[in-house]
Every structure is written in structure tokens, then in C-alpha cells.
Amino acid sequence: MEASKKRNLLYNIRLFAMLLVLIALYAFSVNRNKSRQIAKTLVFFEPTKDQFISKTTVNKLLIENIREAGSHTKENLDLNQLEHTLNANPMIKKSEVSLGIDGVLRAKVEQRAPVARWVNDGMIFYIDDAGTKMPLSELTSARVPLVTGAITKENTKDICEVLKYINDDSFLKKDIIGVKIAPNGSLLMLSRSYDFKIDFGEPKHIHRKFCNYKAFYFKAEADKSLEKYKLVNLRFTKQVVCTK
């Protein structure tokens, strides 16, 4: 009986010792992993037609932020701060930064997509579908309408809905090259192929007005009469009124 108790005691002692060793090894592994240097950074872009910011620029933003924060090790790395830094760039809409167990820092980036080039106070910007300003890019030039006039807090949503509609429609994207915003908020547009002006009126009933315009355009093109017009009035949702 005594021998059996001793064996059980020794077994429990060995089991406890093994458990302590495993805990120590785990703690050592965790601490060692935290103290490891970041191996490298990888940048991935969400699929998009044009690229307005380079991987090199994004990578530089990451490295500079890591250096300034003194967070060269995995333990000191603040992923939220890195995302905040990337999202502060006017070319970036959203980013996700993660760190793998291999020490590789990965950044997934969604770029802003311009819907217009806006001339304001002698300066030129891109604007996206939310009305957010973007600087012109050295990498590419977006094929978007040139907008003049005031984009204000009050009209941003309506104006951007019109611009997004143009950008999403393959025909309108090729045809509409300019949008002038009048002081009263009405829109005057320019066609790429013809000299007539398009009086869109207020940025309302967008789908109906553009459907009317496309129906008029294709019919007049078939009749070879587009060159005769000076003004195409879309203010009336049930008809297109043209001036020669």
C-alpha cells in the first residue's frame, strides 16, 4: 500500500514538473515571438481599373510610422495606428493591416475612386462619389468630367449622385466631359463629340433625365441630325426640348 502511494506521488510530481516545463516553454516562445523584428511588409490593393497610389508609397507610410513609434518588434506594434495612418492619406478609402506569425506585416488597401475633376479657386482636385477631395495622381489620369462651380455641403450629395451615375454608365462616361454648376444649383453639361450643351436642370430625377438624353441621342444620331442642335434641354422629365 505504501509503495503504491509513493508511486502515485512520484507520478504526480513528474506530471506537475512536466506541466511547469510546458508552461515555461510556452511563455518563452510567446516572449520570443513578441520580441522578434518585423520581417517585411506586403501591400495588396483591392481590384480597381486605375491605380492612384503606389505600393511603394503605402509601404513607405507603414515603415515611417513604425520607425516613428519605435515599434520595430511585434510586441510594440499598434495595428490600429497603422490603419489610421493609411486611412489619413487622401488616396485611400479604407485599409486593413495584419501581422502574421511569420513576422510579415500585410496591408490590404482600397483606393478612393474619382468621379470628377473639380476646378475650385484656381486649384484642381479629384473628388470621389462621397465628395471627398483627392489630389491629382502622378501614376494615372482618370477619365472623368471636369466640374466647375461650387460644391457645397448642401449640394454635395446630389451632385455626387449625378457624377457617379455618369461614371457608372459606359456611354455617359465617354460622352459627358464637363459639368458646370450654376449659382442656383442647376447643371449644364458638355458632350465630347458634339458642340451642343445639355441643360440638365436641378440634380433630380437623374435616371429619367439620362434615359431621355440617351434615347434622344441615339435617335438623332441615326437621323444624322445631332450636329444641328445647340442646346438639349432635359429639365422636363417627360420630353427632351432641343434648340437648333
Side-chain angles (χ1 to χ4, degrees):
M1 192 70 176
E2 290 292 331
S4 177
K5 287 183 178 180
K6 287 182 179 180
R7 283 196 299 270
N8 288 337
L9 180 60
L10 290 173
Y11 175 79
N12 290 333
I13 291 173
R14 285 197 296 268
L15 185 63
F16 182 70
M18 290 176 62
L19 182 61
L20 289 178
V21 170
L22 289 174
I23 292 174
L25 288 173
Y26 175 76
F28 174 77
S29 176
V30 169
N31 289 330
R32 184 180 180 184
N33 184 54
K34 287 182 178 180
S35 63
R36 283 181 177 174
Q37 298 285 323
I38 297 169
K40 62 179 179 179
T41 59
L42 293 177
V43 177
F44 305 91
F45 286 110
E46 290 282 358
T48 182
K49 181 181 178 182
D50 298 312
Q51 187 172 324
F52 299 97
I53 185 171
S54 67
K55 289 185 178 182
T56 301
T57 300
V58 176
N59 193 53
K60 185 178 179 181
L61 288 172
L62 291 171
I63 293 173
E64 287 180 350
N65 187 268
I66 292 171
R67 185 183 297 118
E68 290 175 3
S71 52
H72 293 279
T73 61
K74 296 169 70 175
E75 181 180 19
N76 298 324
L77 193 64
D78 187 341
L79 298 180
N80 289 331
Q81 179 58 41
L82 290 177
E83 289 179 354
H84 178 75
T85 298
L86 294 184
N87 294 341
N89 187 286
M91 295 295 194
I92 296 176
K93 183 176 183 179
K94 182 182 178 182
S95 67
E96 294 180 6
V97 180
S98 61
L99 182 64
I101 59 175
D102 54 359
V104 176
L105 186 69
R106 294 173 174 84
K108 186 177 181 182
V109 174
E110 180 182 354
Q111 299 179 96
R112 294 189 183 279
V115 294
R117 186 181 284 106
W118 180 32
V119 180
N120 182 47
D121 293 333
M123 302 185 70
I124 302 178
F125 306 91
Y126 285 131
I127 55 173
D128 68 2
D129 58 5
T132 303
K133 289 182 181 179
M134 299 169 54
L136 300 184
S137 172
E138 296 180 354
L139 299 180
T140 188
S141 178
R143 188 174 182 175
V144 290
L146 181 67
V147 176
T148 57
I151 299 179
T152 64
K153 183 178 180 181
E154 290 73 23
N155 69 9
T156 294
K157 182 179 178 181
D158 292 338
I159 297 296
C160 287
E161 284 183 3
V162 173
L163 295 172
K164 187 176 185 302
Y165 193 100
I166 293 172
N167 191 65
D168 291 342
D169 186 285
S170 58
F171 167 74
L172 296 174
K173 186 176 178 66
K174 292 178 181 178
D175 182 64
I176 305 297
I177 60 171
V179 179
K180 181 178 180 180
I181 306 170
N184 64 359
S186 64
L187 307 180
L188 190 68
M189 302 180 184
L190 301 177
S191 170
R192 180 184 302 276
S193 303
Y194 296 93
D195 293 332
F196 58 73
K197 296 179 180 179
I198 306 162
D199 186 357
F200 193 85
E202 294 183 352
K204 298 179 179 179
H205 310 294
I206 300 169
H207 178 70
R208 171 50 54 193
K209 288 181 178 181
F210 277 131
C211 283
N212 289 346
Y213 173 66
K214 290 164 71 174
F216 153 77
Y217 186 101
F218 295 136
K219 184 179 185 304
E221 185 179 45
D223 296 339
K224 298 182 179 180
S225 60
L226 281 172
E227 295 180 354
K228 299 178 182 179
Y229 299 106
K230 294 182 179 179
L231 181 68
V232 178
N233 191 334
L234 303 178
R235 288 175 177 266
F236 310 101
T237 57
K238 294 184 179 180
Q239 61 179 334
V240 176
V241 179
C242 301
T243 303
K244 294 183 179 180

